[in-house]
């Protein structure tokens, strides 16, 4: 078992759900498959999906919903 | 053996990678913005490193680099933002010419500082000129590659290299603009409508730290976080809107700062609208316009008041930096 950290691909504002009031894409403890959306990053009026590139279990988030994130910043850990 | 066609395929486009040269001046009065690289010094430097003319077209990649597969051998340089280029996964130095062989993949690491990387390829990007420029104006779907940002699956042609570039040629560190520095300041010359805000607002505008809003783009750089600007009471002029920040429609210069409602300053940049009904409190001086294109979302900046004399002196310094670059690359 190895823990993989998903990093922000670009700077912006991180969102855990598709729009306010909607359920979060993933919670701690959820199973994650390759290609699953973990969250969104908004910058320049466009939303970029943060996609899991490995399967596993989501074990921790390092950022809160609506946090400002930098490119390369750890977003969450996945136990593969 | 037949020579490989000079082109590359877009494997991943990045966030909004566009073809840009030094712009399309001369049509702003018709509503067509100047477009071109947001950080012109960086594009010029990249072009010179690969032996191109200053005005040849390169790629502007914002926040996230593209992945490009080259069909022929090319000399490439990446400048501007600190976003490490990689050839087949091997990191290459920024601000330095390097080779990519036919079949190799150019990709990028995470953005470490700044916002926009400029990718020059010897020979330049060979898209047709539109009104004298290869720059992309995406809002007008004009110029560049089909008037839009690159998409996965695009094939982009490269021009014939003049051959003046040399692998390993590098821009000395002291000529590069430092990116990602906290506490950046943008120098501002107060303008025609400066009298519209109160003395208190004139003071807080320069004292407060303003943060780049995430929606800032090539059209305008929006800032928030400073105190709301109060306006001097007036009688609403004929033809102006009712908000105190409204004026009778006027031309918007490149670099002008409008503050709709007095809340969030917006600096108009390369793809800006050319006129409208918001007052402009002043204009960012030409020497600092490149720097705006390297500001990241949420980064804090201060505005600094300067006189016309100081603005012209700064413009002269910028020209000297370009001349210095020329000398440095000639040796």
């Amino acid at each position: 078992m190895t823990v993989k950290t998903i990093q922000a691909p670009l700077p912006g504002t991180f969102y855990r759900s598709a729009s306010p009031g909607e359920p979060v894409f993933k919670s701690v403890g959820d199973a994650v498959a390759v290609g699953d959306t973990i969250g969104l990053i908004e910058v320049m009026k466009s939303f970029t999906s943060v996609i899991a590139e490995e399967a596993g279990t989501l074990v921790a988030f390092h950022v809160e919903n609506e946090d400002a994130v930098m490119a390369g910043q750890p977003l969450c850990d996945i136990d593969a | 053996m037949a020579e490989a066609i000079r082109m590359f395929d877009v494997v991943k486009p990045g966030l909004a990678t566009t073809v840009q040269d030094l712009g399309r001046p001369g049509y702003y009065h018709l509503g067509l913005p100047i477009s071109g690289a947001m950080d012109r010094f960086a594009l010029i430097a990249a072009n010179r490193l690969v032996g191109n003319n200053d005005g040849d077209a390169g790629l502007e990649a914002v926040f996230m680099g593209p992945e490009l597969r080259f069909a022929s051998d090319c000399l490439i340089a990446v400048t501007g933002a600190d976003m490490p280029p990689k050839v087949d996964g091997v990191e290459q130095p920024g601000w330095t010419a390097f080779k990519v062989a036919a079949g190799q993949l150019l990709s990028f690491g995470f953005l470490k500082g700044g916002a926009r990387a400029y990718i020059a390829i010897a020979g330049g990007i060979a898209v047709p000129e539109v009104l004298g420029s290869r720059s992309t104006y995406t809002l007008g779907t004009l110029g560049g590659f089909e008037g839009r940002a690159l998409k996965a699956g695009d094939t982009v042609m490269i021009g014939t290299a003049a051959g003046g570039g040399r692998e390993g040629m590098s821009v000395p560190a002291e000529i590069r603009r430092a990116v990602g520095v906290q506490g950046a300041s943008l120098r501002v010359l107060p303008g025609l409508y400066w009298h519209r805000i109160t003395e208190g607002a004139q003071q807080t505008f320069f004292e407060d730290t303003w943060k780049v809003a995430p929606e800032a783009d090539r059209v305008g750089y929006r800032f928030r976080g400073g105190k709301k600007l109060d306006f001097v009471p007036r009688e609403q002029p004929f033809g102006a809107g009712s908000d105190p920040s409204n004026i009778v429609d006027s031309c918007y210069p490149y670099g002008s700062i409008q503050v709709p409602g007095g809340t969030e300053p917006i600096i108009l940049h390369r793809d800006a609208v050319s006129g409208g009904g918001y007052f402009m409190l002043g204009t960012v001086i030409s020497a600092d316009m490149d720097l705006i294109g390297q500001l990241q979302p949420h980064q804090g900046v201060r505005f600094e008041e300067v006189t016309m004399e100081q603005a012209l002196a700064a413009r002269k310094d910028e020209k000297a930096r370009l001349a210095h670059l020329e000398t440095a690359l000639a040796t």
Side-chain angles (χ1 to χ4, degrees):
Chain A
M1 300 293 262
T2 48
V3 172
K4 294 272 181 181
T5 302
I6 297 184
Q7 293 166 279
L10 75 180
T13 307
F14 180 72
Y15 297 101
R16 286 188 53 190
S17 59
S19 57
E22 287 203 23
V24 295
F25 292 111
K26 293 287 172 190
S27 300
V28 171
D30 282 359
V32 174
V34 175
D36 278 2
T37 300
I38 304 294
L40 300 173
I41 294 177
E42 182 190 14
V43 70
M44 290 202 323
K45 299 165 194 159
S46 64
F47 293 86
T48 301
S49 301
V50 179
I51 305 284
E53 290 178 352
E54 285 189 61
T57 306
L58 205 156
V59 290
F61 270 100
H62 297 293
V63 289
E64 304 281 336
N65 188 47
E66 293 186 33
D67 269 2
V69 295
M70 307 289 285
Q73 189 175 331
L75 299 177
C76 63
D77 288 342
I78 289 177
D79 197 339
Chain B
M1 197 178 105
E3 206 177 322
I5 299 174
R6 295 182 57 76
M7 62 181 196
F8 61 83
D9 289 324
V10 179
V11 180
K12 286 185 184 172
L15 176 67
T17 303
T18 53
V19 176
Q20 299 293 346
D21 58 18
L22 294 178
R24 185 177 288 114
Y27 304 95
Y28 205 33
H29 64 297
L30 302 173
L32 199 61
I34 44 184
S35 299
M38 299 260 306
D39 183 347
R40 290 153 58 90
F41 182 88
L43 176 64
I44 291 171
N47 270 331
R48 290 185 184 176
L49 286 170
V50 298
N52 287 351
N53 294 318
D54 289 354
D56 284 348
L59 296 176
E60 180 181 274
V62 56
F63 300 139
M64 190 164 61
E67 285 183 21
L68 312 173
R69 171 105 36 212
F70 285 80
S72 62
D73 297 358
C74 285
L75 188 67
I76 291 179
V78 177
T79 61
D82 185 4
M83 188 158 68
K86 296 174 182 180
V87 175
D88 278 353
V90 180
E91 198 166 310
Q92 307 292 321
W95 297 89
T96 303
F98 59 88
K99 276 186 174 159
V100 174
Q104 284 190 312
L105 184 76
L106 175 70
S107 65
F108 291 84
F110 289 122
L111 176 70
K112 292 178 188 162
R116 287 173 175 80
Y118 291 85
I119 307 163
I121 304 162
I125 307 287
V127 294
E129 282 194 2
V130 176
L131 298 172
S133 166
R134 295 187 169 87
S135 289
T136 317
Y137 172 43
T138 52
L139 282 178
T141 59
L142 182 127
F145 188 90
E146 299 179 1
R148 57 167 172 83
L150 297 183
K151 285 183 194 166
D154 287 343
T155 296
V156 182
M157 304 304 288
I158 305 164
T160 307
R166 172 165 47 82
E167 186 182 9
M169 188 149 66
S170 189
V171 174
E174 71 271 16
I175 314 179
R176 306 175 191 177
R177 188 194 288 278
V179 290
V181 182
Q182 287 305 312
S185 87
L186 297 172
R187 290 168 287 186
V188 172
L189 190 61
L192 277 179
Y193 302 94
W194 183 239
H195 66 281
R196 286 293 302 121
I197 54 174
T198 62
E199 271 179 39
Q202 292 176 349
Q203 215 169 347
T204 59
F205 176 72
F206 288 121
E207 282 170 359
D208 286 345
T209 294
W210 297 86
K211 287 192 168 175
V212 176
E215 59 266 41
D217 61 12
R218 291 182 46 84
V219 177
Y221 250 66
R222 185 184 281 261
F223 296 82
R224 52 178 69 114
K227 280 185 268 312
K228 184 175 188 289
L229 306 177
D230 288 326
F231 290 84
V232 174
R234 64 156 186 201
E235 203 176 306
Q236 184 182 344
F238 177 76
S242 59
D243 190 274
S245 65
N246 287 137
I247 54 170
V248 177
D249 279 11
S250 176
C251 305
Y252 287 162
Y254 162 63
S256 62
I257 307 168
Q258 52 180 247
V259 196
T263 56
E264 298 182 353
I266 303 167
I267 304 171
L268 297 186
H269 221 293
R270 306 296 302 187
D271 286 354
V273 291
S274 56
Y278 285 115
F279 93 111
M280 297 148 277
L281 53 74
T283 305
V284 173
I285 68 170
S286 61
D288 287 350
M289 289 303 289
D290 283 0
L291 173 60
I292 296 171
Q294 295 298 357
L295 296 176
Q296 284 195 7
H298 310 295
Q299 193 175 339
V301 300
R302 295 271 300 268
F303 295 104
E304 182 190 339
E305 184 174 5
V306 292
T307 62
M308 179 64 91
E309 289 69 33
Q310 289 170 305
L312 291 173
R315 176 180 289 189
K316 214 169 160 185
D317 290 346
E318 268 303 285
K319 281 193 178 148
R321 197 158 70 102
L322 266 180
H324 187 181
L325 172 68
E326 191 163 0
T327 327
L329 295 186
T331 50

